[in-house]
Every structure is written in C-alpha cells, then in structure tokens.
Amino acid sequence: MSKQYPLNVPAPHHFTYAVRDLPEVTVEQRERALQATHYNEFAFPSGMLTVDMLSDSGTTAMTNHQWASLFLGDEAYGRNTGYYVLLDTFRDIFERGGEKNWKKIIDLVRTDCRDVEKMMDEVYLCEYEGGLFNGGAAQMERPNAFIIQQGRAAESVLMEIVRNILAKRHPGKKFTIPSNGHFDTTEGNIKQMGSIPRNLYNKTLLWEVPEGGRYEKNPFKGNMDIEKLEQLITSVGPENVPLIFTCITNNPVCGQAVSMGNLKEINRVAHKYNIPLVFDTARWAENAYFIKMNEEGYADKSIAEIATEMFSYCDAFTMSAKKDGHANMGGMLAFRDKGLFWKNFSDFNEDGTVKTDVGVLLKVKQISCYGNDSYGGMSGRDIMALAVGLYESCDFNYMNERVAQCNYLAEGFYDAGVKGVVLPAGGHAVYINMDEFFDGKRGHDTFAGEGFSLELIRRYGIRVSELGDYSMEYDLKTPEQQAEVCNVVRFAIDRSRLTKEHLDYVIAAVKALYEDRENIPNMRIVWGHNLPMRHFHAFLEPYPNEEK
C-alpha cells in the first residue's frame, strides 16, 4: 500500500483560462457616475467597478463543459432538443433519487447520437406523469412544468394566475402568504397581486454570534418558525392563506440554510390546513450541501439524493436557475401533477372532470409573455448550458469550495473586528447587520445600509446589495412586517469568478469603512419612494448625518 502525504491545505479542483483586466478608476470618477445615476447602485456602470458583489444571479463563470454545450443548442422554435434534455435533467436530480438512477439523456446529445429509434424511445417520445415534470402527451394534456427565463418571471406568472383565480372566487378579499423569508422580487410580486407577505423565522437566533465566530455545526438559521406559522394560519384563517412559500436557502434571511426536518414540518402544517407549499428554490444545491454536512442521517447521501427528498415535500416550486452556479440565464415553474396546488386552483365540473386546468392557464400566460413552452424566453444554447450546470451543481467538490469562499469572507470580516457579521456564512453570500454595524445609532428612516453600499462603491469600487430597510421597504410595512425585516447588506459570491485576492481586498475595504463609519452618509429617496420594488429604479441622494 502506497504511503500518503497529506497537506494542511485543500487540493485545487479547477483552474482559469480566461482573464479579464480591470480599469483603474478614481474616486472622483466614481463620484461623478454616482451622481449621474442618482445614487442607484443597480444603475452604476459595472465597467467602473473593481469587485462586483451585487448578485450571483446570472453573473457566474461557466465551465468548459457549459461553454461546449452552447454549440449543441438547438434553436428550433418548437420542441427543440434542449427542451427534452432540460426536463429530464430536472427529473434526474429532483425525482430519481440520485446519480445511480440518472438517465442523463444529455449524453445522447453530447455524443451526437444518430440512432433515430433510440432518440425517439429515450428522448423525443417518452411519456412521464405523476411528478413535477410531465412529459409527452401528459405535458400537453396537463401542463405542469414551464421553462421561463428567470425566477422573477416565474413568480410573476404564478402570482398573476393565482390572483386572477382568487379574485374570481372571492372578489375584494385580501390574502396572506407566509414564508421563512420572501426575497425582494417574491415579495414585490405578492404585493402586486394584492396579498400580504409575511416572513416567519427566528431573528434572535439569526443575530446570535457563537464564541470565536465559528459554529461546530450549522444551526439552520433559515428555518421557518413552525409555531409562528401555525399561529398566523389560525389567526387569519386557513381560507385566507392560499399558499405557503419556503425559500431554500433563505436568501432574505442572510442566505441561511433550511433543515430537512424543517421542510417536513412546513409540509405537515401546510397539508394539515390544505394549503399548497411552494418552494423558492434558487439555491437548492447549497441547501442540500448544508443538510449533508450538518443534519443527522444525511452525511452519506449525495447532493442529488438530498435534493430529491427536499423536492418531495413541495407541491410547486419557482426557480431562478441563474443562481447556485447553474447558468447565466434560466428559470423554471412547476407543480406536482394532480397534486394539491393543481386541485386548489383548477376548476372542476360537478362530475369531477376538469373544467379549467390551472396548468393550461399558466401555459397560456407563459406563451403570451415569454415564448412557447419549448423555450419560455430562453435560447437553445442557454437551455443546454443550464442542463449541464444543474448536473455540475451536484458535485460535492464544487459546492464545498463555494461555501468555503463564503466562510473565508465572513470570518475575515469577523477577525478584522467588523461588527454585525452574520455567522455562519450563507451558501452564496455574506451578510452584515447594519443596525449593529452602526452601533444602533442610525434610525430606520436613514437608509444607512444603502449609504454603506454606495460609499463602498465610491471609495473602493466594490458593489454589494442592500437588502434591508431601503430595499425591503421598512417604512411602507405594518409593525408586524417591520419586525420581520433584516436590515442587512449582502456580499454575493458567484461561482468560480472571484479569487482570494478579491476577497482580501473586500475585507480590507470593509474594515477601513467600518473604522470610519461615522462619516458614511445617510440616504433619502427623492423619486420613486412608493414604486414596486423601488430599489431597482428609485433616485436617492446623501444627506448629512444628524449626529455630525
């Protein structure tokens, strides 16, 4: 037996071929750009940034296999080959229980299979029903899986159809939709359908900092508070809760993981009251990784096996496939064939036959707004890259490195003495609690977190995302909703794009800004205060801090 020679550092699992140089930009030039773009961080030119951590949505580096798959894209308008590949990729990961049961028809395309009978039998004419992704005639008769180009579009389609159905059945009635944490676009779409979003989690646990800044095991701070969920349902009435959402990982609650046990409990409560459970699954693979590493009974299971169990507890899901390193574009909306969502939102005749199938309504909206069901607003190239990326997200080494980068940044902030770092790190980003960062001296009307974000751009060319009082519209919420807001700023880390050098620069910059935090300006909204999802398009300006 050969001798082992262990090192105290991990072995690398990838290297980089393409390099993009960054321009040298002065503080004065960035200040000019901030003024010209009305201090809106989304409008600031990316070409003037040193490090862009605004989002990991569609910003990730692609692998060589993904780049190669672009050339396999079929741009046919109807039933392009990628359509079959993508739906079966989802079945492989979310329904078939792991790699041992994968059919992986993508390999028939990658090897240029010319056997027409084989392609007909294994790809084009396969029938599937009973799960989240009907196929063949079943998908035409009872459509339940909808390719859409990104998550917010999937949310919009879902919310519009649900709103129309509820308005027809209960004119003028207002509904409540709870979640462990609604992200900004989800909350925006819920509010636009006239419903009330609620975030039910344990904020005390979220802000807890372990001794030395490190937990031995992840405490799953993204979990839904089951007691709060039951209390909310019983207080407003189950008939007034049409859907329950669960965000995995919990993006608005600092990217924190959700345990399998919690998913089971949410499912139990939802079904107890006959309410469909909808997953927001933008970062399902990261959540599966956290379950594998931290929850008893899952250490020997693969990410795909864990994903299959996770998805067994939902009645429907929306997905931004631009996250989690899947691809630069893509999304999905799906619900369980003849499941609770379908039963609750379809109309039936007295004899039990279907009068109006909710899947048909969703398909009509998809076709009207985004493209037919074969592509849903995506190019054939992007569909193939997404299928490859979904499989790659099941790779343990990739996910382990991704989470390790987040830990490195969070622990770097903590070790530098920056207050308010949310620990442990999430799976895609690091968050800082702005209330603690500013020692509790800034009010909710100062939007100091946005001031922090903009000052980080101005001084150091680093763009992050404020996801607190400004973006989550604290001033427009009820007292109950205000208590559920996390006043945080997010540092998103996208797949395989940033190096240790970038993270060290960010740590140094945030430390310097923290030490001069008294001079970070407060911000005020000068246009677009009440616009839906205002942070994407409102105008701001700095104004003097009251203490100065």
Side-chain angles (χ1 to χ4, degrees):
M1 186 175 181
S2 61
K3 185 177 179 181
Q4 300 297 311
Y5 302 94
L7 298 174
N8 61 355
V9 295
H13 291 98
H14 67 270
F15 56 85
T16 304
Y17 267 122
V19 175
R20 176 172 293 182
D21 290 330
L22 297 171
E24 293 185 7
V25 185
T26 65
V27 173
E28 291 74 19
Q29 288 170 327
R30 289 193 292 264
E31 173 64 32
R32 177 185 168 192
L34 284 168
Q35 292 177 3
T37 54
H38 298 284
Y39 292 92
N40 184 301
E41 61 190 358
F42 289 89
F44 190 89
S46 65
M48 296 178 66
L49 295 169
T50 303
V51 183
D52 193 356
M53 306 181 86
L54 180 69
S55 178
D56 64 325
S57 181
T59 63
T60 63
M62 291 204 304
T63 66
N64 56 336
H65 291 286
Q66 285 183 294
W67 282 108
S69 71
L70 294 177
F71 290 94
L72 302 175
D74 174 8
E75 304 301 339
Y77 191 81
R79 287 299 184 268
N80 63 83
T81 303
Y83 164 83
Y84 301 100
V85 169
L86 185 58
L87 288 190
D88 215 57
T89 299
F90 277 111
R91 295 184 194 112
D92 272 350
I93 300 170
F94 294 171
E95 293 188 342
R96 291 182 177 141
E99 293 89 329
K100 294 178 182 177
N101 298 316
W102 282 352
K103 294 183 70 176
K104 219 168 184 182
I105 65 172
I106 191 173
D107 288 337
L108 293 176
V109 178
R110 289 197 282 201
T111 56
D112 195 22
C113 179
R114 303 293 181 89
D115 186 334
V116 176
E117 288 293 325
K118 185 177 182 67
M119 292 295 288
M120 289 173 68
D121 292 340
E122 298 186 23
V123 181
Y124 302 143
L125 304 182
C126 290
E127 293 290 329
Y128 296 95
E129 58 183 329
L132 291 164
F133 314 97
N134 282 350
Q139 183 63 246
M140 298 181 71
E141 296 160 4
R142 298 188 310 280
N144 72 334
F146 311 91
I147 300 171
I148 297 182
Q149 88 276 20
Q150 65 183 74
R152 71 189 62 180
E155 293 168 351
S156 179
V157 169
L158 175 67
M159 297 305 178
E160 181 174 331
I161 297 304
V162 168
R163 178 196 65 193
N164 292 344
I165 292 170
L166 293 175
K168 184 178 179 181
R169 294 177 182 176
H170 311 284
K173 196 172 184 180
K174 210 171 185 68
F175 296 89
T176 298
I177 299 180
S179 176
N180 60 336
H182 292 295
F183 195 52
D184 57 354
T185 58
T186 319
E187 182 171 300
N189 277 306
I190 289 172
K191 289 170 70 174
Q192 288 181 82
M193 69 175 275
S195 291
I196 302 167
R198 295 292 302 276
N199 296 333
L200 311 177
Y201 63 98
N202 187 335
K203 185 180 281 190
T204 301
L205 175 64
L206 177 66
W207 296 149
E208 177 189 274
V209 178
E211 186 175 349
R214 292 161 179 81
Y215 285 95
E216 184 177 341
K217 288 284 187 180
N218 189 297
F220 293 104
K221 295 183 178 184
N223 281 355
M224 179 96 78
D225 188 314
I226 300 299
E227 184 178 346
K228 288 181 182 177
L229 177 61
E230 288 242 35
Q231 288 175 349
L232 178 66
I233 293 171
T234 55
S235 65
V236 303
E239 69 279 5
N240 296 314
V241 182
L243 302 169
I244 294 173
F245 264 77
T246 301
C247 189
I248 48 176
T249 55
N250 195 339
N251 191 8
V253 182
C254 304
Q256 296 295 301
V258 182
S259 71
M260 191 74 80
N262 191 244
L263 296 178
K264 293 178 186 178
E265 278 295 285
I266 301 169
N267 174 279
R268 178 189 64 80
V269 173
H271 287 198
K272 172 182 174 181
Y273 295 103
N274 199 45
I275 303 170
L277 174 55
V278 182
F279 284 174
D280 175 352
T281 62
R283 298 178 178 87
W284 60 270
E286 295 162 5
N287 204 79
Y289 169 88
F290 283 122
I291 289 172
K292 175 180 175 64
M293 301 300 288
N294 299 283
E295 194 163 357
E296 186 176 353
Y298 292 94
D300 295 329
K301 293 185 180 293
S302 69
I303 287 174
E305 287 174 315
I306 294 170
T308 293
E309 182 178 348
M310 283 166 48
F311 279 84
S312 72
Y313 299 122
C314 74
D315 300 294
F317 75 84
T318 61
M319 172 186 283
S320 170
K322 298 170 67 176
K323 318 297 194 295
D324 227 348
H326 300 325
N328 298 131
M329 183 56 67
M332 177 63 70
L333 166 63
F335 62 85
R336 199 167 302 283
D337 185 26
K338 296 184 178 179
L340 186 57
F341 177 87
W342 178 79
K343 291 175 183 176
N344 282 15
F345 291 103
S346 295
D347 288 328
F348 299 87
N349 297 307
E350 291 183 3
D351 63 358
T353 58
V354 179
K355 182 179 180 181
T356 305
D357 189 307
V358 66
V360 174
L361 297 178
L362 290 167
K363 184 175 177 179
V364 169
K365 182 64 181 178
Q366 175 199 31
I367 293 171
S368 300
C369 291
Y370 302 105
N372 77 37
D373 62 334
S374 296
Y375 67 95
M378 294 182 67
S379 69
R381 298 182 291 276
D382 284 327
I383 287 174
M384 290 299 294
L386 171 54
V388 173
L390 286 165
Y391 285 119
E392 290 178 341
S393 291
C394 296
D395 180 76
F396 176 82
N397 287 328
Y398 155 62
M399 199 55 62
N400 197 48
E401 289 181 349
R402 178 159 170 70
V403 173
Q405 274 200 311
C406 294
N407 286 333
Y408 180 84
L409 182 62
E411 292 173 5
F413 288 154
Y414 179 84
D415 292 340
V418 177
K419 288 185 180 179
V421 184
V422 178
L423 298 163
H428 74 288
V430 174
Y431 294 69
I432 297 179
N433 176 357
M434 288 289 105
D435 294 334
E436 188 172 353
F437 183 91
F438 287 107
D439 303 308
K441 296 179 179 178
R442 304 289 181 97
H444 293 292
D445 60 342
T446 65
F447 303 133
E450 184 65 12
F452 166 91
S453 179
L454 293 164
E455 193 66 3
L456 204 56
I457 291 175
R458 189 182 76 86
R459 295 191 191 189
Y460 305 110
I462 300 168
R463 179 164 62 178
V464 297
S465 180
E466 191 273 355
L467 291 174
D469 291 342
Y470 169 59
S471 295
M472 295 302 178
E473 303 173 357
Y474 181 94
D475 50 307
L476 303 179
K477 294 182 182 295
T478 64
E480 293 83 5
Q481 292 172 309
Q482 288 177 342
E484 298 162 2
V485 172
C486 297
N487 188 23
V488 293
V489 166
R490 182 186 71 179
F491 294 73
I493 299 177
D494 38 23
R495 163 174 163 159
S496 304
R497 193 175 67 89
L498 301 179
T499 65
K500 182 175 177 292
E501 182 180 24
H502 293 101
L503 301 183
D504 286 339
Y505 177 74
V506 172
I507 292 168
V510 171
K511 178 183 179 182
L513 198 55
Y514 175 72
E515 292 171 350
D516 191 36
R517 58 193 180 281
E518 291 185 1
N519 289 312
I520 296 174
N522 295 319
M523 303 301 296
R524 61 184 169 198
I525 304 171
V526 295
W527 180 83
H529 185 277
N530 295 320
L531 284 173
M533 293 177 275
R534 66 188 182 191
H535 53 298
F536 287 105
H537 39 189
F539 298 173
L540 300 98
E541 68 179 15
Y543 70 100
N545 302 341
E546 293 179 3
E547 294 185 0
K548 293 171 62 178

